[in-house]
Amino acid sequence: MKVVKKITAVFLSVLFIFLTFSIMGFADTIEAEESTPTDFISAVSKMISHYDSSFGASSGGVSETCRIIVKTQTSKPLSDDQGALDKVEGWNCIHILQYPDSTTANSALEFYLTQDYVVYAEMDTYFEVSSSPSSEVSTLSESTEENVSWGTSAVKLDVLNDYIENNNLIKSDEEIVVAVFDTGLTENHHMFDVDRFYPGYNLFDYNTDTSDPYGFGHGTHITGIIYENTLPNVKFRPYRVNEKFSQTFQTAYSIIGTALITAVDNGDDLINISMWWSNSPSQYIEDAIDYAYDNNVPIIVAAGNDEYGMGYNADEVCYPALNEKVITVAAVDSDFEPVQLSKCGNISSNYGTCVDVAAPGCMIKSASNNIYQKVYACGTSMAAPYVSAAVAMIKSVYPDLSCSVIADIITSSVVVPDGWDSDKYGEGIMDCSLIFPLESISKPTFKINSDGNIEIISTASNAKIYYTTDDKDPIIGVSNEYVAPISTKGISTVKAVAYCEGSLPSELATYSLRTIISEDMYYKCSLSFDTLKIPPNSEIISCYSSDNEVAEVNLKDRKIIATGEGDAKITIYLKNNRRWIVNVNVEYNFFQWLIIVFLGGFLWYI
């Protein structure tokens, strides 16, 4: 017997140790798979700074990184990394792998393209990004009004901000964070309040140094335009995604894509990208733009410029301007005409059907990387931040609007000059005085038709209705658009919102097919269906009690009766797949306890 006990004890000890290590190992795996955005972006920038010693395109014009981007179906580390020198993985199913040479990298790319678990694989690539040079420098004045550029009054951002402020339209705790993707930020410029800036990211140097050291300070200039055209609830987070190599600014697919996803996961509310490039779109960047769009984070981008020419067709050569999910901005001068060579230095605004709207982009005065100076600059880089400022203020009042609704508001709040070519330069020139007040349309209503399906009805004849059946709130332009009655089979809730272009969306409407209620009852008491808000004329198909000794249903009198102490679940099935689930807890009240105690004592006595 003692031998059996010893063997059993040893067996249990070994089993305990095995389970302990298994649990520890599992915990480590989960931790690795749940890498944070900050961890991931730091690891990517560390990889870039370590392996790309020369950065940028090679002397032969080939943008070599010997690095590939792989997206798989899970975030688990790759079991076969094809001999990678280094890798960053474990976040959003993305794996960035560094190889010693282009031959090995291309071989690995070919391998991953054939694997079933791979969603896509592509070579990480450097490319040139274009921006605009400054043309004049002015010393910072003490006068705030003098410091504001002509573009503010031209698009009436001052009118918009006065209206919002005077009518107290912003909740006291409503903070909007603008992510600025650019060359960095000189945040100690004398026009800035440092409390409006959050620590940013440097995607090149493995640190948070987002200073703006090159030229006149392109990123600081862009940030300054948004800063001066928004109220103090709007804050900023700089992302240094461009680096100067020789005479050009460059970035890479891994940098832009990672920064986009990180901005969304950081909770930034919109993204300004005042740059463009002519490379073919990257799937990593395309997915990142989709991710921002699906999470209601608008991306405002410049249409791009043509130096010493009359403009490029952005539909053909300009990215990310040609992506349909971003808001693309062309530039106009003070005469409300598209920026062209003869009027604004040596650049012209790009054009195309992908352009959504135009904004001021000629001789725009804003901050520079000299903390005591402002500079004048020209281009679509300067036009995009005016739109970003308007979007930031819209989101300040209506933070939950989807990207498609915000785009509609911007493109419908425009003036259209005589002779304006909307096929080239967008719907018109932004006019922020037209944004508020906007009216909301009435929220949709629900109706159960004779076959049990749900109809969704809007009082606005031209409204589109978007709905969900998974208990998530519908997103305009993303969720299912209502076209026919919805089957109630297998669903518990329908949520819907109505929207007309040029109006604010309706309030959210919800129709519950399953109502769950918890009720406390006393023994022998009853609970009527009216109290439970079960429709009085509803046809009840059946009902069920998990414990009739605790509670039962009296269908004739339409009530629940407490028959004993304890818990029970009452399920009442109505016609058209609706049901009420009532979780009942039955207890004795004070007087009932007195009677129980008295009877118990009496029985004990006799």
Side-chain angles (χ1 to χ4, degrees):
M1 188 68 180
K2 290 183 179 180
V3 173
V4 174
K5 287 184 178 180
K6 287 182 179 180
I7 294 174
T8 302
V10 171
F11 173 76
L12 291 174
S13 299
V14 172
L15 180 62
F16 176 77
I17 293 171
F18 173 77
L19 289 173
T20 301
F21 279 101
S22 297
I23 292 169
M24 290 172 63
F26 178 74
D28 288 342
T29 301
I30 293 297
E31 184 178 359
E33 290 178 12
E34 294 182 351
S35 172
T36 66
T38 301
D39 292 339
F40 191 84
I41 202 169
S42 297
V44 171
S45 61
K46 181 179 181 181
M47 177 186 288
I48 290 170
S49 64
H50 181 72
Y51 291 101
D52 297 10
S53 56
S54 59
F55 292 107
S58 66
S59 57
V62 179
S63 304
E64 295 181 347
T65 64
C66 304
R67 186 166 51 244
I68 64 174
I69 302 170
V70 180
K71 181 170 184 177
T72 59
Q73 295 172 354
T74 74
S75 291
K76 292 181 179 179
L78 294 170
S79 58
D80 185 353
D81 60 19
Q82 293 291 294
L85 287 175
D86 200 356
K87 55 186 176 180
V88 179
E89 53 189 343
W91 179 57
N92 280 314
C93 305
I94 295 298
H95 315 263
I96 301 180
L97 301 98
Q98 180 70 52
Y99 293 92
D101 51 62
S102 59
T103 301
T104 309
N106 280 307
S107 176
L109 179 62
E110 291 177 6
F111 168 78
Y112 286 118
L113 287 172
T114 64
Q115 303 304 302
D116 293 339
Y117 59 86
V118 172
V119 179
Y120 65 79
E122 62 185 16
M123 190 68 70
D124 190 14
T125 304
Y126 274 101
F127 49 89
E128 292 185 12
V129 294
S130 300
S131 58
S132 305
S134 64
S135 51
E136 286 187 34
V137 175
S138 74
T139 302
L140 184 67
S141 167
E142 294 292 333
S143 169
T144 303
E145 291 184 2
E146 184 180 336
N147 288 326
V148 176
S149 190
W150 67 271
T152 298
S153 58
V155 294
K156 301 180 182 175
L157 270 161
D158 50 350
V159 175
L160 173 66
N161 289 332
D162 286 346
Y163 180 86
I164 291 173
E165 194 167 28
N166 293 338
N167 289 278
N168 298 314
L169 297 183
I170 302 176
K171 295 178 182 178
S172 59
D173 60 346
E174 192 59 60
E175 180 178 278
I176 299 298
V177 180
V178 182
V180 181
F181 286 22
D182 220 287
T183 59
L185 171 69
T186 304
E187 68 176 48
N188 62 337
H189 195 283
H190 278 206
M191 68 171 273
F192 292 149
D193 175 359
V194 294
D195 290 337
R196 290 182 67 180
F197 296 96
Y198 284 114
Y201 295 86
N202 184 327
L203 273 292
F204 286 93
D205 296 332
Y206 184 44
N207 56 37
T208 56
D209 177 14
T210 54
S211 58
D212 189 7
Y214 301 112
F216 69 95
H218 188 274
T220 302
H221 194 272
I222 299 308
T223 305
I225 296 171
I226 307 173
Y227 181 98
E228 287 190 311
N229 287 283
T230 52
L231 296 175
N233 71 297
V234 176
K235 307 298 176 66
F236 300 86
R237 194 190 315 275
Y239 290 77
R240 186 168 161 182
V241 296
N242 298 344
E243 192 76 16
K244 192 170 185 179
F245 307 109
S246 183
Q247 299 302 310
T248 65
F249 283 95
Q250 296 186 16
T251 189
Y253 292 156
S254 59
I255 289 171
I256 297 295
T258 301
L260 281 167
I261 300 172
T262 302
V264 177
D265 284 359
N266 276 337
D268 297 341
D269 297 284
L270 66 143
I271 301 168
N272 186 96
I273 305 180
S274 284
M275 57 186 177
W276 67 281
W277 56 91
S278 58
N279 291 53
S280 298
S282 150
Q283 189 60 54
Y284 185 34
I285 297 176
E286 288 280 286
D287 278 5
I289 291 174
D290 289 346
Y291 185 60
Y293 187 88
D294 293 343
N295 283 277
N296 297 341
V297 180
I299 302 174
I300 297 87
V301 305
N305 316 306
D306 177 13
E307 294 188 34
Y308 309 106
M310 298 306 291
Y312 296 115
N313 185 341
D315 296 332
E316 299 174 355
V317 298
C318 299
Y319 198 79
L322 56 79
N323 186 290
E324 63 180 10
K325 292 184 177 179
V326 304
I327 299 175
T328 301
V329 188
V332 295
D333 59 27
S334 56
D335 293 325
F336 275 21
E337 294 180 349
V339 166
Q340 293 185 334
L341 286 174
S342 59
K343 292 187 177 181
C344 196
N346 59 353
I347 63 170
S348 297
S349 173
N350 288 342
Y351 57 86
T353 58
C354 67
V355 176
D356 297 293
V357 71
C362 180
M363 298 299 289
I364 303 301
K365 180 164 63 172
S366 183
S368 71
N369 58 9
N370 182 323
I371 64 173
Y372 298 105
Q373 290 181 336
K374 287 191 171 186
V375 299
Y376 292 93
C378 305
T380 59
S381 284
M382 289 71 232
Y386 280 107
V387 177
S388 291
V391 171
M393 295 318 302
I394 293 170
K395 287 185 75 71
S396 295
V397 181
Y398 298 102
D400 298 325
L401 292 183
S402 67
C403 293
S404 61
V405 172
I406 287 176
D408 284 345
I409 291 173
I410 291 294
T411 55
S412 61
S413 304
V414 296
V415 293
V416 184
D418 292 340
W420 184 261
D421 191 342
S422 58
D423 290 332
K424 295 180 69 174
Y425 298 107
E427 295 297 323
I429 301 169
M430 184 174 69
D431 184 343
C432 295
S433 67
L434 303 176
I435 293 176
F436 294 116
L438 289 174
E439 294 184 357
S440 299
I441 62 175
S442 299
K443 70 179 181 180
T445 57
F446 301 94
K447 176 185 176 183
I448 298 289
N449 59 25
S450 57
D451 59 4
N453 294 333
I454 295 179
E455 294 183 28
I456 311 178
I457 303 166
S458 174
T459 55
S461 58
N462 60 339
K464 293 183 177 180
I465 299 174
Y466 297 90
Y467 73 94
T468 59
T469 58
D470 58 2
D471 209 35
K472 295 180 180 178
D473 290 348
I475 299 174
I476 292 170
V478 177
S479 301
N480 295 322
E481 183 177 348
Y482 176 76
V483 293
I486 305 165
S487 171
T488 58
K489 186 176 181 180
I491 64 175
S492 60
T493 304
V494 180
K495 293 185 177 182
V497 63
Y499 174 67
C500 291
E501 186 174 339
S503 300
L504 291 172
S506 71
E507 294 180 6
L508 180 67
T510 302
Y511 186 83
S512 296
L513 289 145
R514 183 180 64 179
T515 303
I516 302 176
I517 302 172
S518 295
E519 292 286 347
D520 293 327
M521 298 180 66
Y522 290 124
Y523 174 64
K524 289 300 181 181
C525 292
S526 63
L527 188 66
S528 72
F529 286 7
D530 291 339
T531 303
L532 298 173
K533 296 184 179 179
I534 297 176
N537 298 322
S538 58
E539 181 181 340
I540 297 175
I541 306 301
S542 63
C543 58
Y544 169 78
S545 173
S546 64
D547 191 341
N548 282 316
E549 293 184 359
V550 174
E552 61 183 23
V553 180
N554 184 328
L555 277 180
K556 180 180 178 181
D557 297 331
R558 294 174 65 88
K559 61 177 62 175
I560 298 172
I561 301 172
T563 55
E565 186 185 24
D567 297 321
K569 182 169 77 172
I570 309 295
T571 306
I572 303 169
Y573 295 91
L574 280 63
K575 188 178 178 181
N576 301 324
N577 293 319
R578 297 190 73 181
R579 61 189 182 275
W580 257 251
I581 299 173
V582 187
N583 295 308
V584 174
N585 173 252
V586 180
E587 297 178 346
Y588 297 119
N589 63 28
F590 176 75
F591 296 104
Q592 290 169 342
W593 273 115
L594 283 179
I595 293 172
I596 291 170
V597 170
F598 175 77
L599 289 175
F602 177 75
L603 292 173
W604 176 81
Y605 178 77
I606 62 174

